[in-house]
Amino acid sequence: MALTLPFRRKRDPDPPAPVQRRLDPLPSARFRAEREADWRRLDALLSKVEKRSAAALTDEELLALPTLYRATVSALAVARETSLDRALIDYLEGLSTRAYFFLYGVRGRIGPRIAAFFRHDWPAAVLSLWRETVGSVLLLVAGTIAGYALVASDSNWFMALAGGMAQGRSPSATTQQLRDILYKGGTDGLEGLATFLFTHNAQISLLCFALGFLLAVPSTILILMNGLTLGAFLALYADRGLAGELVGWLFVHGTTELFAITLAGAAGIRIGWAVAFPGRLSRLDGMAAAGRQSGTVMAGVVVMLFVAALLEGFVRQLVTIDWLRYLIGGAMLALWLAYFYGPAGRRR
């Protein structure tokens, strides 16, 4: 008879074999297969932009970019959360970063960006401000008519309106003195004169733009004041029978200079309008959006003022033939109009 020890534990039976968990052998592969088409398309679009520019994309491709970017970022979040393979996460991080910098950051190298600015961005921004530009032109014309009427009725208004711009031109000057100013020519000190003119006009334009946030009131006043000054000079020279000569003298650089100041006024009006009537945006957001658009215009205005200073400081002083002055000024005006309102502003 077999004896059983009282304190001896009965030996446990063999433990059951561990249950094998059924794991998906290739989760990353399936995850990739479901989304890879979007990633490849985003990659292709970004490569296209990086090799050329945003202008290389069609409207459909531009609209697809934000959607593809969001889908990629969402896939990256899932990949990180579920600890998919490192190579896939690295790929999605790189793709998301490239898309982010294109959509929200500074894109491309400085050379292509400058080329894109002159090829499309600047004329497109000017074209988008056409209503404000028309308003600014009307203000300038209204000021010119008012200045002309005031001086024509009472010459004492001239000094009040011309101020420091008179520089020897006044109702007390003789006709010959006024004529000499238009045709005196010469080359001495032209570099300094061009610099002074550029600085003076740049100050006016920047004030028109920068003070626009005050509901565009200062911008409007500055445009009107420029018109009043212009009208005062026209009345003075018209009284001496030199109106045509004066217009030719102004035309050389004025078509560029006044156009630039008018655009600066339009940019200020756009910002003021965004503050007064923000629409669905907050006033701050509306002003920021208008500021970005107007800022592009102002960057080009500086270029126009530089060109105007060269025309005024050199070409106007060296060219003393009336018809040639009209031809140069008219050609510059036609060039600007074709550039801003022609195909360049509409090209994508």
Side-chain angles (χ1 to χ4, degrees):
M1 180 177 178
L3 296 177
T4 302
L5 296 177
F7 302 105
R8 186 177 180 180
R9 296 181 57 188
K10 188 176 180 180
R11 187 178 180 182
D12 294 336
D14 294 337
V19 177
Q20 298 293 326
R21 294 180 58 194
R22 184 180 181 184
L23 300 177
D24 192 333
L26 294 171
S28 294
R30 192 172 67 248
F31 182 80
R32 179 194 294 268
E34 293 173 352
R35 298 164 176 82
E36 192 170 15
D38 288 343
W39 304 341
R40 285 186 179 279
R41 189 183 181 201
L42 179 60
D43 196 354
L45 294 180
L46 292 174
S47 298
K48 194 174 180 181
V49 170
E50 290 162 357
K51 290 178 181 176
R52 299 168 67 184
S53 71
L57 301 181
T58 64
D59 290 345
E60 181 185 358
E61 290 171 337
L62 282 172
L63 292 173
L65 271 173
T67 303
L68 295 171
Y69 167 68
R70 287 193 293 270
T72 304
V73 171
S74 175
L76 175 60
V78 173
R80 285 172 172 166
E81 186 69 22
T82 55
S83 301
L84 295 182
D85 68 78
R86 187 68 240 175
L88 177 60
I89 293 175
D90 290 344
Y91 170 76
L92 293 177
E93 285 179 343
L95 189 60
S96 301
T97 302
R98 290 168 61 201
Y100 173 84
F101 279 108
F102 171 73
L103 292 171
Y104 303 108
V106 177
R107 304 188 298 273
R109 294 166 295 173
I110 186 66
R113 288 296 304 139
I114 292 175
F117 172 80
F118 286 105
R119 194 168 56 243
H120 173 260
D121 294 352
W122 181 23
V126 171
L127 183 61
S128 70
L129 296 183
W130 71 269
R131 295 181 183 84
E132 291 83 356
T133 304
V134 171
S136 190
V137 169
L138 292 177
L139 286 171
L140 183 67
V141 172
T144 302
I145 294 173
Y148 187 97
L150 287 171
V151 175
S153 63
D154 184 355
S155 60
N156 291 325
W157 276 102
F158 179 81
M159 293 308 296
L161 297 178
M165 297 294 292
Q167 297 182 345
R169 292 162 290 196
S170 70
S172 62
T174 64
T175 301
Q176 187 58 43
Q177 287 173 329
L178 295 177
R179 183 189 296 276
D180 288 344
I181 293 175
L182 300 180
Y183 299 103
K184 63 181 180 181
T187 58
D188 294 340
L190 292 184
E191 298 87 350
L193 176 61
T195 303
F196 166 77
L197 295 171
F198 174 77
T199 305
H200 175 266
N201 295 328
Q203 288 174 345
I204 294 176
S205 299
L206 290 175
L207 283 175
C208 287
F209 167 67
L211 298 179
F213 74 95
L214 296 174
L215 302 179
V217 173
S219 305
T220 301
I221 293 175
L222 284 169
I223 295 295
L224 280 172
M225 288 301 300
N226 269 278
L228 287 169
T229 303
L230 181 61
F233 277 105
L234 284 173
L236 175 65
Y237 275 81
D239 184 60
R240 309 301 176 85
L242 297 172
E245 290 83 349
L246 175 69
V247 173
W249 182 78
L250 289 170
F251 219 59
V252 175
H253 68 283
T255 51
T256 299
E257 178 185 287
L258 293 178
F259 204 159
I261 294 175
T262 299
L263 290 178
I269 292 172
R270 167 59 66 90
I271 293 177
W273 189 266
V275 173
F277 306 101
R280 296 179 179 178
L281 301 175
S282 68
R283 279 189 167 77
L284 188 60
D285 290 342
M287 188 171 66
R292 285 192 293 272
Q293 190 175 27
S294 300
T296 303
V297 174
M298 286 304 299
V301 164
V302 174
V303 176
M304 293 181 73
L305 291 175
F306 178 74
V307 173
L310 294 178
L311 291 171
E312 189 173 5
F314 291 90
V315 179
R316 189 189 68 183
Q317 302 302 109
L318 299 174
V319 177
T320 56
I321 302 173
D322 289 334
W323 68 266
L324 192 53
R325 287 176 167 177
Y326 276 102
L327 180 63
I328 294 172
M332 291 304 301
L333 178 61
L335 177 66
W336 292 122
L337 290 174
Y339 175 57
F340 291 135
Y341 304 107
R346 298 179 173 84
R347 186 186 304 143
R348 300 298 301 271

